[in-house]
Amino acid sequence: MADLVIPKGDKGFYLNFTVRNDNETAFDLTGYTIGFKVWKKSKSDTILVSGTPSIVLGTAGTCRYLVGANDFGTVTPLTAELELTQAGVIESTVPFSIEVQESG
């Protein structure tokens, strides 16, 4: 089962994330720039969605990404990650799965 399920073509809502350290405490996002990248599960070299989530509360590790009109228009299994950048250092989260499904 996917970590997130999104109906095909839905837009204008937020995907909310909480970034955690290895010990499950909140990762402090203060001072970081965040990237959101999504690719087909089988093709990691082709980015389908790329955007910049906004930090909601840095010390709590929370951020959100506003889903755009063309972000999830194909029914397919996807893989995604957040990239956290500060002072030239990039740290990626553990990849997670997204399933885009036909809406009813």
Side-chain angles (χ1 to χ4, degrees), residues 13-87:
F13 64 95
Y14 286 99
L15 296 177
N16 295 294
F17 302 103
T18 300
V19 181
R20 300 194 182 281
N21 291 302
D22 290 338
N23 64 3
E24 292 301 314
T25 59
F27 184 98
D28 189 349
L29 296 172
T30 304
Y32 280 84
T33 301
I34 305 169
F36 176 59
K37 293 186 177 182
V38 179
W39 59 91
K40 279 189 178 182
K41 190 172 185 177
S42 61
K43 291 189 151 198
S44 63
D45 59 339
T46 305
I47 301 298
L48 301 175
V49 178
S50 180
T52 306
S54 56
I55 294 174
V56 176
L57 183 57
T59 56
T62 57
C63 61
R64 65 185 188 171
Y65 174 75
L66 180 61
V67 175
N70 299 312
D71 285 352
F72 300 103
T74 304
V75 174
T76 188
L78 302 169
T79 302
E81 70 181 13
L82 298 175
E83 286 187 344
L84 315 173
T85 305
Q86 183 182 56

Side-chain angles (χ1 to χ4, degrees), residues 81-84 90-95:
E81 70 181 13
L82 298 175
E83 286 187 344
L84 315 173
I90 299 173
E91 301 174 67
S92 296
T93 62
V94 172

